[in-house]
Amino acid sequence: QVQLVQSGAEVKKPGASVKVSCKASGYTFTGYSIHWVRQAPGQRPEWMGWINIGSSHTIYSHKFQGRVSITRDTSASTAYLELSSLRSEDTAVYYCARDPLLTFGGIIVDWGQGTLVTVSS
Amino acid sequence: EIVLTQSPGTLSLSPGERATLSCRASQSIDSSYLAWYQQNPGQAPRLLISGASNRATGIPDRFSGSGSGTDFTLTISRLEPEDFAVYYCQQYGSSPPVTFGQGTRLEIK
């Protein structure tokens, strides 16, 4: 079955960067795309960006443009989210999630378990 | 940016009752691009409905979606104990490509 296994919780200081990994299994990694979505405590999910795993083409939310980078390593079946210039408002659970299409479909059919990123001085 | 507003914020019902959840968009969206998710505490969201009315794989037929333009509805025909959760609508396809509503909490009365 499809599994997306994310890296463990992180604690970062304001101004630092964080890189979260998402290892996929149970399907052909290069045949689908990946979204990154975050959710602050008690808040709605917030879409951050997307990557076409085959071409590595990315689309980012305007809110995070310049601070976010999504990449992938096809040999490791792993996608990555890097967020820089962290501030306290970035404290949230970060999810990777699979789109049923390789091109941008927009719906999310499978989710990782989430990675809690805490930003605190 | 398309803003999605869900109502009510909290819905209190009993098992066996019918639940009707609303999602209103700030501008018209193609119904092909409206989805619903269920989220339980401490878990990731789960896709229920895509394309406004198409149930995802494995979703019971007591869940149904409808609507078009700016007004969309998720209906749960007969509530089961496991249905009490938070529900989010989501639109995809405009700029930014993906936005979520603020959620409706469905609680046991």
Side-chain angles (χ1 to χ4, degrees):
Chain A
Q1 77 280 20
V2 173
Q3 279 197 302
L4 299 170
V5 179
Q6 300 182 219
S7 48
E10 303 262 13
V11 179
K12 295 292 183 181
K13 293 192 182 303
S17 297
V18 68
K19 190 169 186 176
V20 180
S21 67
C22 170
K23 183 169 178 58
S25 61
Y27 70 98
T28 302
F29 184 60
T30 52
Y32 300 86
S33 54
I34 291 284
H35 299 267
W36 285 91
V37 177
R38 76 178 188 180
Q39 190 170 29
Q43 301 300 309
R44 74 186 78 186
E46 182 176 33
W47 183 83
M48 301 182 69
W50 167 92
I51 185 166
N52 178 315
I53 298 297
S55 68
S56 77
H57 174 63
T58 53
I59 301 174
Y60 298 126
S61 167
H62 294 159
K63 176 175 178 177
F64 301 101
Q65 202 88 35
R67 280 209 303 145
V68 68
S69 177
I70 298 174
T71 57
R72 89 315 187 218
D73 179 347
T74 56
S75 66
S77 296
T78 301
Y80 302 91
L81 170 79
E82 186 165 19
L83 187 63
S84 61
S85 303
L86 290 169
R87 35 219 190 218
S88 58
E89 310 89 89
D90 294 317
T91 293
V93 175
Y94 289 74
Y95 294 101
C96 65
R98 188 175 74 111
D99 193 302
L101 301 178
L102 181 59
T103 55
F104 188 91
I107 60 170
I108 298 171
V109 294
D110 299 290
W111 298 71
Q113 86 276 16
T115 296
L116 176 61
V117 175
T118 303
V119 183
S120 174
S121 55
Chain B
E1 173 182 332
I2 294 180
V3 176
L4 299 178
T5 302
Q6 293 185 239
S7 61
T10 301
L11 185 57
S12 300
L13 293 170
S14 300
E17 290 192 293
R18 180 185 186 91
T20 303
L21 287 65
S22 174
C23 176
R24 177 163 291 179
S26 58
Q27 58 188 275
S28 183
I29 63 174
D30 184 334
S31 62
S32 297
Y33 301 129
L34 193 286
W36 290 93
Y37 296 82
Q38 176 192 67
Q39 188 175 32
N40 287 297
Q43 297 183 17
R46 177 175 70 142
L47 178 67
L48 299 175
I49 301 282
S50 64
S53 61
N54 302 307
R55 274 189 304 276
T57 302
I59 301 303
D61 60 9
R62 65 179 181 273
F63 290 91
S64 63
S66 63
S68 64
T70 59
D71 292 298
F72 298 87
T73 300
L74 174 70
T75 301
I76 311 171
S77 58
R78 294 172 308 279
L79 286 165
E80 298 287 342
E82 61 267 27
D83 298 336
F84 292 91
V86 179
Y87 292 83
Y88 295 99
C89 59
Q90 175 217 13
Q91 69 83 25
Y92 46 100
S94 72
S95 177
V98 175
T99 54
F100 291 84
Q102 85 280 16
T104 290
R105 180 179 305 278
L106 179 54
E107 65 176 26
I108 299 177
K109 187 174 182 179

mmCIF file with all atom_site columns, all heavy atoms in Angstrom, chain A residues 94-112:
data_model
loop_
_atom_site.group_PDB
_atom_site.id
_atom_site.type_symbol
_atom_site.label_atom_id
_atom_site.label_alt_id
_atom_site.label_comp_id
_atom_site.label_asym_id
_atom_site.label_entity_id
_atom_site.label_seq_id
_atom_site.pdbx_PDB_ins_code
_atom_site.Cartn_x
_atom_site.Cartn_y
_atom_site.Cartn_z
_atom_site.occupancy
_atom_site.B_iso_or_equiv
_atom_site.pdbx_formal_charge
_atom_site.auth_seq_id
_atom_site.auth_comp_id
_atom_site.auth_asym_id
_atom_site.auth_atom_id
_atom_site.pdbx_PDB_model_num
ATOM 1   N N   . TYR A 1 94  ? 3.839  19.715 9.445   1.00 0.00 ? 94  TYR A N   1
ATOM 2   C CA  . TYR A 1 94  ? 4.070  19.763 8.001   1.00 0.00 ? 94  TYR A CA  1
ATOM 3   C C   . TYR A 1 94  ? 3.816  18.380 7.410   1.00 0.00 ? 94  TYR A C   1
ATOM 4   O O   . TYR A 1 94  ? 4.358  17.380 7.891   1.00 0.00 ? 94  TYR A O   1
ATOM 5   C CB  . TYR A 1 94  ? 5.497  20.223 7.712   1.00 0.00 ? 94  TYR A CB  1
ATOM 6   C CG  . TYR A 1 94  ? 5.695  21.692 8.032   1.00 0.00 ? 94  TYR A CG  1
ATOM 7   C CD1 . TYR A 1 94  ? 5.772  22.127 9.353   1.00 0.00 ? 94  TYR A CD1 1
ATOM 8   C CD2 . TYR A 1 94  ? 5.766  22.646 7.025   1.00 0.00 ? 94  TYR A CD2 1
ATOM 9   C CE1 . TYR A 1 94  ? 5.913  23.473 9.660   1.00 0.00 ? 94  TYR A CE1 1
ATOM 10  C CE2 . TYR A 1 94  ? 5.910  24.001 7.324   1.00 0.00 ? 94  TYR A CE2 1
ATOM 11  C CZ  . TYR A 1 94  ? 5.975  24.401 8.643   1.00 0.00 ? 94  TYR A CZ  1
ATOM 12  O OH  . TYR A 1 94  ? 6.114  25.740 8.937   1.00 0.00 ? 94  TYR A OH  1
ATOM 13  N N   . TYR A 1 95  ? 2.956  18.353 6.379   1.00 0.00 ? 95  TYR A N   1
ATOM 14  C CA  . TYR A 1 95  ? 2.597  17.093 5.730   1.00 0.00 ? 95  TYR A CA  1
ATOM 15  C C   . TYR A 1 95  ? 3.091  17.070 4.294   1.00 0.00 ? 95  TYR A C   1
ATOM 16  O O   . TYR A 1 95  ? 2.937  18.058 3.561   1.00 0.00 ? 95  TYR A O   1
ATOM 17  C CB  . TYR A 1 95  ? 1.083  16.916 5.666   1.00 0.00 ? 95  TYR A CB  1
ATOM 18  C CG  . TYR A 1 95  ? 0.360  16.740 6.977   1.00 0.00 ? 95  TYR A CG  1
ATOM 19  C CD1 . TYR A 1 95  ? -0.322 17.801 7.573   1.00 0.00 ? 95  TYR A CD1 1
ATOM 20  C CD2 . TYR A 1 95  ? 0.315  15.494 7.609   1.00 0.00 ? 95  TYR A CD2 1
ATOM 21  C CE1 . TYR A 1 95  ? -1.021 17.629 8.759   1.00 0.00 ? 95  TYR A CE1 1
ATOM 22  C CE2 . TYR A 1 95  ? -0.378 15.315 8.791   1.00 0.00 ? 95  TYR A CE2 1
ATOM 23  C CZ  . TYR A 1 95  ? -1.036 16.386 9.363   1.00 0.00 ? 95  TYR A CZ  1
ATOM 24  O OH  . TYR A 1 95  ? -1.737 16.206 10.537  1.00 0.00 ? 95  TYR A OH  1
ATOM 25  N N   . CYS A 1 96  ? 3.626  15.917 3.869   1.00 0.00 ? 96  CYS A N   1
ATOM 26  C CA  . CYS A 1 96  ? 3.738  15.665 2.436   1.00 0.00 ? 96  CYS A CA  1
ATOM 27  C C   . CYS A 1 96  ? 2.514  14.842 2.046   1.00 0.00 ? 96  CYS A C   1
ATOM 28  O O   . CYS A 1 96  ? 1.934  14.127 2.878   1.00 0.00 ? 96  CYS A O   1
ATOM 29  C CB  . CYS A 1 96  ? 5.025  14.933 2.081   1.00 0.00 ? 96  CYS A CB  1
ATOM 30  S SG  . CYS A 1 96  ? 5.183  13.258 2.746   1.00 0.00 ? 96  CYS A SG  1
ATOM 31  N N   . ALA A 1 97  ? 2.110  14.955 0.793   1.00 0.00 ? 97  ALA A N   1
ATOM 32  C CA  . ALA A 1 97  ? 0.871  14.314 0.376   1.00 0.00 ? 97  ALA A CA  1
ATOM 33  C C   . ALA A 1 97  ? 0.914  14.054 -1.126  1.00 0.00 ? 97  ALA A C   1
ATOM 34  O O   . ALA A 1 97  ? 1.460  14.866 -1.880  1.00 0.00 ? 97  ALA A O   1
ATOM 35  C CB  . ALA A 1 97  ? -0.317 15.209 0.723   1.00 0.00 ? 97  ALA A CB  1
ATOM 36  N N   . ARG A 1 98  ? 0.323  12.938 -1.522  1.00 0.00 ? 98  ARG A N   1
ATOM 37  C CA  . ARG A 1 98  ? 0.403  12.522 -2.925  1.00 0.00 ? 98  ARG A CA  1
ATOM 38  C C   . ARG A 1 98  ? -0.807 12.962 -3.736  1.00 0.00 ? 98  ARG A C   1
ATOM 39  O O   . ARG A 1 98  ? -1.956 12.799 -3.315  1.00 0.00 ? 98  ARG A O   1
ATOM 40  C CB  . ARG A 1 98  ? 0.527  11.000 -3.002  1.00 0.00 ? 98  ARG A CB  1
ATOM 41  C CG  . ARG A 1 98  ? 0.816  10.449 -4.383  1.00 0.00 ? 98  ARG A CG  1
ATOM 42  C CD  . ARG A 1 98  ? 1.032  8.951  -4.335  1.00 0.00 ? 98  ARG A CD  1
ATOM 43  N NE  . ARG A 1 98  ? -0.234 8.239  -4.132  1.00 0.00 ? 98  ARG A NE  1
ATOM 44  C CZ  . ARG A 1 98  ? -0.832 7.472  -5.048  1.00 0.00 ? 98  ARG A CZ  1
ATOM 45  N NH1 . ARG A 1 98  ? -0.287 7.345  -6.235  1.00 0.00 ? 98  ARG A NH1 1
ATOM 46  N NH2 . ARG A 1 98  ? -1.946 6.846  -4.767  1.00 0.00 ? 98  ARG A NH2 1
ATOM 47  N N   . ASP A 1 99  ? -0.526 13.534 -4.878  1.00 0.00 ? 99  ASP A N   1
ATOM 48  C CA  . ASP A 1 99  ? -1.547 13.884 -5.871  1.00 0.00 ? 99  ASP A CA  1
ATOM 49  C C   . ASP A 1 99  ? -1.753 12.649 -6.747  1.00 0.00 ? 99  ASP A C   1
ATOM 50  O O   . ASP A 1 99  ? -0.790 11.955 -7.053  1.00 0.00 ? 99  ASP A O   1
ATOM 51  C CB  . ASP A 1 99  ? -1.039 15.064 -6.694  1.00 0.00 ? 99  ASP A CB  1
ATOM 52  C CG  . ASP A 1 99  ? -2.113 15.724 -7.532  1.00 0.00 ? 99  ASP A CG  1
ATOM 53  O OD1 . ASP A 1 99  ? -2.737 15.028 -8.371  1.00 0.00 ? 99  ASP A OD1 1
ATOM 54  O OD2 . ASP A 1 99  ? -2.312 16.938 -7.371  1.00 0.00 ? 99  ASP A OD2 1
ATOM 55  N N   . PRO A 1 100 ? -2.988 12.361 -7.170  1.00 0.00 ? 100 PRO A N   1
ATOM 56  C CA  . PRO A 1 100 ? -3.197 11.191 -8.021  1.00 0.00 ? 100 PRO A CA  1
ATOM 57  C C   . PRO A 1 100 ? -2.696 11.361 -9.448  1.00 0.00 ? 100 PRO A C   1
ATOM 58  O O   . PRO A 1 100 ? -2.777 10.436 -10.253 1.00 0.00 ? 100 PRO A O   1
ATOM 59  C CB  . PRO A 1 100 ? -4.717 11.007 -8.003  1.00 0.00 ? 100 PRO A CB  1
ATOM 60  C CG  . PRO A 1 100 ? -5.247 12.364 -7.736  1.00 0.00 ? 100 PRO A CG  1
ATOM 61  C CD  . PRO A 1 100 ? -4.256 13.004 -6.813  1.00 0.00 ? 100 PRO A CD  1
ATOM 62  N N   . LEU A 1 101 ? -2.170 12.544 -9.758  1.00 0.00 ? 101 LEU A N   1
ATOM 63  C CA  . LEU A 1 101 ? -1.649 12.814 -11.085 1.00 0.00 ? 101 LEU A CA  1
ATOM 64  C C   . LEU A 1 101 ? -0.173 13.184 -11.015 1.00 0.00 ? 101 LEU A C   1
ATOM 65  O O   . LEU A 1 101 ? 0.316  13.621 -9.972  1.00 0.00 ? 101 LEU A O   1
ATOM 66  C CB  . LEU A 1 101 ? -2.414 13.960 -11.746 1.00 0.00 ? 101 LEU A CB  1
ATOM 67  C CG  . LEU A 1 101 ? -3.918 13.778 -11.935 1.00 0.00 ? 101 LEU A CG  1
ATOM 68  C CD1 . LEU A 1 101 ? -4.517 15.036 -12.553 1.00 0.00 ? 101 LEU A CD1 1
ATOM 69  C CD2 . LEU A 1 101 ? -4.218 12.569 -12.793 1.00 0.00 ? 101 LEU A CD2 1
ATOM 70  N N   . LEU A 1 102 ? 0.511  13.031 -12.140 1.00 0.00 ? 102 LEU A N   1
ATOM 71  C CA  . LEU A 1 102 ? 1.884  13.525 -12.234 1.00 0.00 ? 102 LEU A CA  1
ATOM 72  C C   . LEU A 1 102 ? 1.874  15.026 -12.491 1.00 0.00 ? 102 LEU A C   1
ATOM 73  O O   . LEU A 1 102 ? 2.663  15.790 -11.931 1.00 0.00 ? 102 LEU A O   1
ATOM 74  C CB  . LEU A 1 102 ? 2.635  12.795 -13.349 1.00 0.00 ? 102 LEU A CB  1
ATOM 75  C CG  . LEU A 1 102 ? 4.092  13.199 -13.556 1.00 0.00 ? 102 LEU A CG  1
ATOM 76  C CD1 . LEU A 1 102 ? 4.905  12.985 -12.291 1.00 0.00 ? 102 LEU A CD1 1
ATOM 77  C CD2 . LEU A 1 102 ? 4.708  12.430 -14.719 1.00 0.00 ? 102 LEU A CD2 1
ATOM 78  N N   . THR A 1 103 ? 0.934  15.458 -13.350 1.00 0.00 ? 103 THR A N   1
ATOM 79  C CA  . THR A 1 103 ? 0.734  16.899 -13.527 1.00 0.00 ? 103 THR A CA  1
ATOM 80  C C   . THR A 1 103 ? -0.084 17.428 -12.354 1.00 0.00 ? 103 THR A C   1
ATOM 81  O O   . THR A 1 103 ? -0.535 16.640 -11.517 1.00 0.00 ? 103 THR A O   1
ATOM 82  C CB  . THR A 1 103 ? -0.001 17.178 -14.848 1.00 0.00 ? 103 THR A CB  1
ATOM 83  O OG1 . THR A 1 103 ? -1.225 16.425 -14.837 1.00 0.00 ? 103 THR A OG1 1
ATOM 84  C CG2 . THR A 1 103 ? 0.847  16.756 -16.037 1.00 0.00 ? 103 THR A CG2 1
ATOM 85  N N   . PHE A 1 104 ? -0.283 18.736 -12.284 1.00 0.00 ? 104 PHE A N   1
ATOM 86  C CA  . PHE A 1 104 ? -0.963 19.315 -11.124 1.00 0.00 ? 104 PHE A CA  1
ATOM 87  C C   . PHE A 1 104 ? -2.449 18.956 -11.138 1.00 0.00 ? 104 PHE A C   1
ATOM 88  O O   . PHE A 1 104 ? -3.191 19.444 -11.985 1.00 0.00 ? 104 PHE A O   1
ATOM 89  C CB  . PHE A 1 104 ? -0.790 20.832 -11.106 1.00 0.00 ? 104 PHE A CB  1
ATOM 90  C CG  . PHE A 1 104 ? -1.304 21.459 -9.839  1.00 0.00 ? 104 PHE A CG  1
ATOM 91  C CD1 . PHE A 1 104 ? -0.458 21.644 -8.752  1.00 0.00 ? 104 PHE A CD1 1
ATOM 92  C CD2 . PHE A 1 104 ? -2.635 21.849 -9.706  1.00 0.00 ? 104 PHE A CD2 1
ATOM 93  C CE1 . PHE A 1 104 ? -0.916 22.208 -7.572  1.00 0.00 ? 104 PHE A CE1 1
ATOM 94  C CE2 . PHE A 1 104 ? -3.103 22.410 -8.530  1.00 0.00 ? 104 PHE A CE2 1
ATOM 95  C CZ  . PHE A 1 104 ? -2.246 22.592 -7.461  1.00 0.00 ? 104 PHE A CZ  1
ATOM 96  N N   . GLY A 1 105 ? -2.866 18.095 -10.188 1.00 0.00 ? 105 GLY A N   1
ATOM 97  C CA  . GLY A 1 105 ? -4.274 17.756 -10.083 1.00 0.00 ? 105 GLY A CA  1
ATOM 98  C C   . GLY A 1 105 ? -4.936 18.568 -8.996  1.00 0.00 ? 105 GLY A C   1
ATOM 99  O O   . GLY A 1 105 ? -6.014 19.128 -9.180  1.00 0.00 ? 105 GLY A O   1
ATOM 100 N N   . GLY A 1 106 ? -4.279 18.646 -7.831  1.00 0.00 ? 106 GLY A N   1
ATOM 101 C CA  . GLY A 1 106 ? -4.762 19.505 -6.762  1.00 0.00 ? 106 GLY A CA  1
ATOM 102 C C   . GLY A 1 106 ? -5.439 18.777 -5.627  1.00 0.00 ? 106 GLY A C   1
ATOM 103 O O   . GLY A 1 106 ? -5.512 19.307 -4.522  1.00 0.00 ? 106 GLY A O   1
ATOM 104 N N   . ILE A 1 107 ? -5.997 17.587 -5.877  1.00 0.00 ? 107 ILE A N   1
ATOM 105 C CA  . ILE A 1 107 ? -6.559 16.849 -4.760  1.00 0.00 ? 107 ILE A CA  1
ATOM 106 C C   . ILE A 1 107 ? -5.464 15.983 -4.152  1.00 0.00 ? 107 ILE A C   1
ATOM 107 O O   . ILE A 1 107 ? -4.441 15.725 -4.782  1.00 0.00 ? 107 ILE A O   1
ATOM 108 C CB  . ILE A 1 107 ? -7.775 15.992 -5.151  1.00 0.00 ? 107 ILE A CB  1
ATOM 109 C CG1 . ILE A 1 107 ? -7.412 14.954 -6.207  1.00 0.00 ? 107 ILE A CG1 1
ATOM 110 C CG2 . ILE A 1 107 ? -8.911 16.863 -5.613  1.00 0.00 ? 107 ILE A CG2 1
ATOM 111 C CD1 . ILE A 1 107 ? -8.497 13.944 -6.448  1.00 0.00 ? 107 ILE A CD1 1
ATOM 112 N N   . ILE A 1 108 ? -5.689 15.573 -2.926  1.00 0.00 ? 108 ILE A N   1
ATOM 113 C CA  . ILE A 1 108 ? -4.666 14.848 -2.175  1.00 0.00 ? 108 ILE A CA  1
ATOM 114 C C   . ILE A 1 108 ? -5.248 13.532 -1.699  1.00 0.00 ? 108 ILE A C   1
ATOM 115 O O   . ILE A 1 108 ? -6.201 13.520 -0.917  1.00 0.00 ? 108 ILE A O   1
ATOM 116 C CB  . ILE A 1 108 ? -4.163 15.692 -0.996  1.00 0.00 ? 108 ILE A CB  1
ATOM 117 C CG1 . ILE A 1 108 ? -3.509 16.979 -1.520  1.00 0.00 ? 108 ILE A CG1 1
ATOM 118 C CG2 . ILE A 1 108 ? -3.200 14.888 -0.138  1.00 0.00 ? 108 ILE A CG2 1
ATOM 119 C CD1 . ILE A 1 108 ? -3.174 17.991 -0.465  1.00 0.00 ? 108 ILE A CD1 1
ATOM 120 N N   . VAL A 1 109 ? -4.681 12.438 -2.185  1.00 0.00 ? 109 VAL A N   1
ATOM 121 C CA  . VAL A 1 109 ? -5.268 11.127 -1.908  1.00 0.00 ? 109 VAL A CA  1
ATOM 122 C C   . VAL A 1 109 ? -4.536 10.372 -0.792  1.00 0.00 ? 109 VAL A C   1
ATOM 123 O O   . VAL A 1 109 ? -5.114 9.501  -0.164  1.00 0.00 ? 109 VAL A O   1
ATOM 124 C CB  . VAL A 1 109 ? -5.342 10.262 -3.174  1.00 0.00 ? 109 VAL A CB  1
ATOM 125 C CG1 . VAL A 1 109 ? -6.316 10.866 -4.165  1.00 0.00 ? 109 VAL A CG1 1
ATOM 126 C CG2 . VAL A 1 109 ? -3.973 10.084 -3.805  1.00 0.00 ? 109 VAL A CG2 1
ATOM 127 N N   . ASP A 1 110 ? -3.271 10.699 -0.583  1.00 0.00 ? 110 ASP A N   1
ATOM 128 C CA  . ASP A 1 110 ? -2.500 10.020 0.462   1.00 0.00 ? 110 ASP A CA  1
ATOM 129 C C   . ASP A 1 110 ? -1.648 11.053 1.187   1.00 0.00 ? 110 ASP A C   1
ATOM 130 O O   . ASP A 1 110 ? -1.090 11.948 0.556   1.00 0.00 ? 110 ASP A O   1
ATOM 131 C CB  . ASP A 1 110 ? -1.597 8.936  -0.134  1.00 0.00 ? 110 ASP A CB  1
ATOM 132 C CG  . ASP A 1 110 ? -2.369 7.854  -0.846  1.00 0.00 ? 110 ASP A CG  1
ATOM 133 O OD1 . ASP A 1 110 ? -3.055 7.074  -0.154  1.00 0.00 ? 110 ASP A OD1 1
ATOM 134 O OD2 . ASP A 1 110 ? -2.296 7.796  -2.088  1.00 0.00 ? 110 ASP A OD2 1
ATOM 135 N N   . TRP A 1 111 ? -1.553 10.884 2.502   1.00 0.00 ? 111 TRP A N   1
ATOM 136 C CA  . TRP A 1 111 ? -0.835 11.844 3.340   1.00 0.00 ? 111 TRP A CA  1
ATOM 137 C C   . TRP A 1 111 ? 0.255  11.136 4.141   1.00 0.00 ? 111 TRP A C   1
ATOM 138 O O   . TRP A 1 111 ? 0.095  9.980  4.555   1.00 0.00 ? 111 TRP A O   1
ATOM 139 C CB  . TRP A 1 111 ? -1.797 12.507 4.323   1.00 0.00 ? 111 TRP A CB  1
ATOM 140 C CG  . TRP A 1 111 ? -2.894 13.306 3.697   1.00 0.00 ? 111 TRP A CG  1
ATOM 141 C CD1 . TRP A 1 111 ? -3.970 12.835 3.007   1.00 0.00 ? 111 TRP A CD1 1
ATOM 142 C CD2 . TRP A 1 111 ? -3.043 14.725 3.734   1.00 0.00 ? 111 TRP A CD2 1
ATOM 143 N NE1 . TRP A 1 111 ? -4.768 13.879 2.610   1.00 0.00 ? 111 TRP A NE1 1
ATOM 144 C CE2 . TRP A 1 111 ? -4.233 15.045 3.041   1.00 0.00 ? 111 TRP A CE2 1
ATOM 145 C CE3 . TRP A 1 111 ? -2.295 15.775 4.293   1.00 0.00 ? 111 TRP A CE3 1
ATOM 146 C CZ2 . TRP A 1 111 ? -4.686 16.361 2.873   1.00 0.00 ? 111 TRP A CZ2 1
ATOM 147 C CZ3 . TRP A 1 111 ? -2.752 17.080 4.142   1.00 0.00 ? 111 TRP A CZ3 1
ATOM 148 C CH2 . TRP A 1 111 ? -3.930 17.356 3.444   1.00 0.00 ? 111 TRP A CH2 1
ATOM 149 N N   . GLY A 1 112 ? 1.336  11.861 4.393   1.00 0.00 ? 112 GLY A N   1
ATOM 150 C CA  . GLY A 1 112 ? 2.320  11.386 5.349   1.00 0.00 ? 112 GLY A CA  1
ATOM 151 C C   . GLY A 1 112 ? 1.785  11.531 6.768   1.00 0.00 ? 112 GLY A C   1
ATOM 152 O O   . GLY A 1 112 ? 0.684  12.052 6.982   1.00 0.00 ? 112 GLY A O   1
#
